């Protein structure tokens, strides 16, 4: 493995830190644009090399030896040492998992922070956010009515997401207009994307395969988000930081208590639907998120007519980015942790809420 290169942390300092990678993220091209065919060919050759040597009767696509990626590829929020991670992402008919979505959401957050194509103010969560919401909701709903609001505290995990902590390259929600939330319905083997439109106080639901027998489950889950998110916005002092929201003149907020549930809008006619029987819902969620991050809440059906092409694009872009980063011996600046991060001004975890309160 290439040895990391080191540079001074700041001018005149004798301290050293890791070299920062010159590319912030892999999404320098806009979704819908063709990926460099030479890149796609290199990725395809790397992914499928020697795969024909594996017996079709074997359970796994790669042999144990050929499946290893040495040294592993570092995506910041995930370290990948198995080739089948890319196979599941890029090959038609495969199921993508939380790690794929977390990596894509991480780099979309970085594109939102650093550009290009960042005219829309947005951030994303990771897949774990859903679990945090559900846990708080269960505590909230099971508490006596007079004690429910005491369950919600700014130092909770959900509060930390909103304040801009908890995940790499996060942005405080008071600085954005949209929050993109991936949701994995594990028991239903299905993915959704929720988009919180802050200005319109709306929660948009992007579902690439609407089914009657699943709708009640989805509806119940979405309602949990609509109830819990406003409570945390209130307790973290969110509205005091938003000069563009006036409770007397902003239409969605007029005569509405800040803790009221968010309005919910189901996006069905406005978005493409996956083919019946396919397992492409995760790829659709990634693509939906990328389109919304560009300001496109409605997505033309023809834009995702070839979902396998989008699979290959995600696989090729991520592989190319990670290998270049590895060859450069670098890390991303948002992946700095510990002592170096504190020298750069980041508060320790147990100080975050206290620091935030001082700023109010």
């Amino acid at each position: 493995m290439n040895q990391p290169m080191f540079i001074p942390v700041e001018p005149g300092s004798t301290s050293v830190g890791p070299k920062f990678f010159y590319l912030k993220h892999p999404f320098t091209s806009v979704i819908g644009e063709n990926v460099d065919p030479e890149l796609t060919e290199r990725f395809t050759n790397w992914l499928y090399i020697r795969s024909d040597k594996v017996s079709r009767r074997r359970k796994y696509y790669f042999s144990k030896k050929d499946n290893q990626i040495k040294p592993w590829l570092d995506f910041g929020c995930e370290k990948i040492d198995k080739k089948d991670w890319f196979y599941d992402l890029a090959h038609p008919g495969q199921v993508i998992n939380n790690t794929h979505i977390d990596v894509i959401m991480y780099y979309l957050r970085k594109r939102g922070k650093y550009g290009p194509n960042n005219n829309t103010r947005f951030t994303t969560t990771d897949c774990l956010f859903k679990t945090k919401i559900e846990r708080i909701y269960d505590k909230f709903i099971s508490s006596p009515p007079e004690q429910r609001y005491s369950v919600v505290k700014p130092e909770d995990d959900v509060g930390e997401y909103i304040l801009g902590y908890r995940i790499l390259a996060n942005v405080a929600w008071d600085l954005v207009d949209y929050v993109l939330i991936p949701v994995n319905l594990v028991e239903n083997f299905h993915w959704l994307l929720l988009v919180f439109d802050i200005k319109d106080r709306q929660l948009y639901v992007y579902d690439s395969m609407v089914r009657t027998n699943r709708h009640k489950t989805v509806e119940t889950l979405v309602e949990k988000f609509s109830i819990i998110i406003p409570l945390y916005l209130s307790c973290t002092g969110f509205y005091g930081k938003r000069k563009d929201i006036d409770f007397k003149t902003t239409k969605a907020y007029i005569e509405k208590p800040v803790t009221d549930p968010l309005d919910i809008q189901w996006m069905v006619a406005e978005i493409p639907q996956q083919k019946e029987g396919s397992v492409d819902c995760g790829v659709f969620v990634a693509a939906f998120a990328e389109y919304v991050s560009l300001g496109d809440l409605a997505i033309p059906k023809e834009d995702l007519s070839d979902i396998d092409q989008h699979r290959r694009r995600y696989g090729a872009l991520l592989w190319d980015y990670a290998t270049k980063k590895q060859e450069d011996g670098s890390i991303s600046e948002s992946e700095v942790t510990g002592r170096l991060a504190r020298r750069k001004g980041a508060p320790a975890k147990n100080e975050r809420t206290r620091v935030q309160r001082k700023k109010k």
Side-chain angles (χ1 to χ4, degrees), residues 235-304:
C235 78
T236 55
F238 170 85
Y239 292 110
K241 306 166 193 172
R242 292 294 297 235
K243 305 304 180 186
D244 59 334
I245 296 177
D246 189 316
F247 286 87
K248 294 181 179 179
T249 60
T250 306
K251 185 177 179 181
Y253 289 85
I254 295 174
E255 296 183 357
K256 184 162 288 188
V258 293
T259 55
D260 270 13
L262 303 174
D263 293 330
I264 298 171
Q265 181 168 331
W266 301 84
M267 306 291 282
V268 179
E270 299 87 348
I271 63 173
Q273 295 288 290
Q274 69 189 81
K275 294 178 181 178
E276 185 69 31
S278 74
V279 291
D280 294 322
C281 50
V283 188
F284 272 88
V285 160
F288 289 160
E290 197 169 352
Y291 274 108
V292 172
S293 74
L294 296 170
D296 299 326
L297 290 178
I299 303 165
K301 290 180 171 56
E302 59 272 15
D303 285 11
L304 295 180

Side-chain angles (χ1 to χ4, degrees), residues 156 221 224:
D156 294 341
L221 176 61
K224 294 178 182 180

